[in-house]
């Protein structure tokens, strides 16, 4: 079985500061890993994904994440936060791409002016 | 390109009543998913269809929940009878491939059971 743990249900940063959202996964087989973002009253949108290959993955809106097998982590970062980044972020895992996604509990990002 | 369409947007019912949600996926997407998102939690898979066949319904409470995807296009999720703990947002998603590498989500149906 696979699972993801997102550390911190709420994260608050100042505009222009580094964004770091933490995700650790558990999987008995090589995982596929994803970050989705959910803006208020909207559906979830894919930010980025890791399947195979390069462990540093770049996504939309300046976000990136690094797959670290030794740490079973897939943390999401952005060098400089914008007000428009305020949303809920979900880390998700699937098993070799053959099964539906298992989501973490989410982290709400607040950006202070 | 049209996205995943869901209706209704909101629904309020009393416990023990029945309710149905409708989803129309993106044209050409063979795989359709229903997720339940309880407030403060991440989405939880209820059922996954590949065309009109069920791939995974292991987390669907089959004593009260049912879903169908006739003709492999749009889908309906039903709850009968509803319980208070069914209050949640019901999300429909679709993808081109069975692996679900990129899911496209609808805006969801927010259900309140009183």
């Amino acid at each position: 079985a696979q699972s993801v743990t997102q550390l911190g249900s709420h994260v608050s940063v100042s505009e222009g500061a580094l964004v770091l959202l933490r995700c650790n996964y558990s999987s008995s087989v090589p995982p596929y890993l994803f970050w989705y973002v959910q803006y208020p009253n909207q559906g979830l949108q894919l930010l980025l994904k890791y399947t195979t290959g390069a462990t540093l993955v770049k996504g939309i809106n300046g976000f990136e994440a690094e797959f670290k097998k030794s740490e079973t982590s897939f943390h999401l970062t952005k060098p400089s936060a914008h007000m428009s980044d305020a949303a809920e972020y979900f880390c998700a895992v699937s098993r070799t791409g053959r099964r539906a996604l298992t989501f973490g509990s989410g982290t709400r990002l607040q950006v202070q002016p | 390109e049209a996205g995943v369409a869901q209706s209704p947007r909101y629904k309020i019912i009393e416990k023990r009543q029945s309710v149905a949600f409708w989803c129309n996926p993106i044209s050409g997407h063979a795989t359709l998913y229903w997720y339940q998102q309880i407030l403060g939690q991440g989405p939880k898979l209820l059922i996954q269809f590949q065309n009109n066949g069920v791939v995974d319904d292991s987390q669907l409470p089959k004593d009260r929940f049912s879903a169908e995807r006739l003709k492999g296009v749009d889908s309906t999720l039903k709850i009968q009878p509803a319980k208070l703990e069914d209050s949640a947002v019901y999300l429909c998603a679709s993808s081109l491939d069975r692996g679900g590498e990129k899911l496209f989500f609808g805006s969801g149906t927010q259900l309140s059971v009183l």
Side-chain angles (χ1 to χ4, degrees):
Chain A
Q2 314 136 88
S3 64
V4 290
T5 302
Q6 292 185 241
L7 298 176
S9 58
H10 290 83
V11 170
S12 182
V13 301
S14 299
E15 193 172 18
L18 171 71
V19 175
L20 171 60
L21 305 182
R22 299 177 185 274
C23 172
N24 287 88
Y25 70 90
S26 172
S27 178
S28 58
V29 296
Y32 287 11
L33 294 161
F34 308 80
W35 276 98
Y36 278 81
V37 60
Q38 186 174 36
Y39 298 103
N41 297 315
Q42 294 186 28
L44 285 87
Q45 303 171 37
L46 180 66
L47 269 180
L48 51 80
K49 65 179 181 182
Y50 168 80
T51 54
T52 58
T55 56
L56 182 61
V57 180
K58 296 186 184 298
I60 61 172
N61 300 337
F63 284 94
E64 62 181 37
E66 186 171 10
F67 170 61
K68 292 187 176 180
K69 184 178 179 181
S70 61
E71 299 177 9
T72 62
S73 68
F74 191 58
H75 302 330
L76 182 70
T77 61
K78 182 174 181 177
S80 176
H82 294 163
M83 296 296 291
S84 59
D85 295 328
E88 185 134 26
Y89 293 79
F90 292 93
C91 184
V93 63
S94 74
R95 188 180 70 193
T96 63
R98 288 189 172 275
R99 303 285 286 183
L101 302 181
T102 299
F103 286 88
S105 55
T107 297
R108 184 166 298 278
L109 176 66
Q110 189 176 21
V111 181
Q112 306 282 4
Chain B
E1 177 185 83
V4 177
Q6 289 189 248
S7 67
R9 186 72 180 89
Y10 303 94
K11 190 73 177 178
I12 299 174
I13 62 173
E14 295 188 351
K15 60 183 179 183
R16 291 189 288 274
Q17 285 187 324
S18 62
V19 64
F21 314 126
W22 174 81
C23 172
N24 191 26
I26 292 174
S27 177
H29 281 195
T31 307
L32 184 146
Y33 312 78
W34 282 103
Y35 281 85
Q36 179 193 56
Q37 187 176 15
I38 293 172
L39 187 64
Q41 300 181 18
K44 184 186 84 171
L45 179 71
L46 291 176
I47 189 167
Q48 176 184 352
F49 291 96
Q50 175 79 3
N51 296 310
N52 60 351
V54 175
V55 173
D56 183 355
D57 64 355
S58 58
Q59 298 187 87
L60 186 74
K62 298 180 186 62
D63 58 334
R64 298 184 300 106
F65 285 65
S66 64
E68 60 183 11
R69 191 183 183 197
L70 300 176
K71 300 181 182 178
V73 183
D74 55 350
S75 175
T76 303
L77 177 69
K78 297 179 181 177
I79 308 175
Q80 182 179 12
K83 293 185 175 181
L84 297 176
E85 58 261 37
D86 298 332
S87 294
V89 176
Y90 291 84
L91 297 168
C92 180
S94 68
S95 67
L96 273 172
D97 54 69
R98 180 174 172 172
E101 285 193 20
K102 184 171 183 178
L103 270 64
F104 294 82
F105 282 84
S107 298
T109 296
Q110 186 171 329
L111 173 67
S112 297
V113 182
L114 306 178

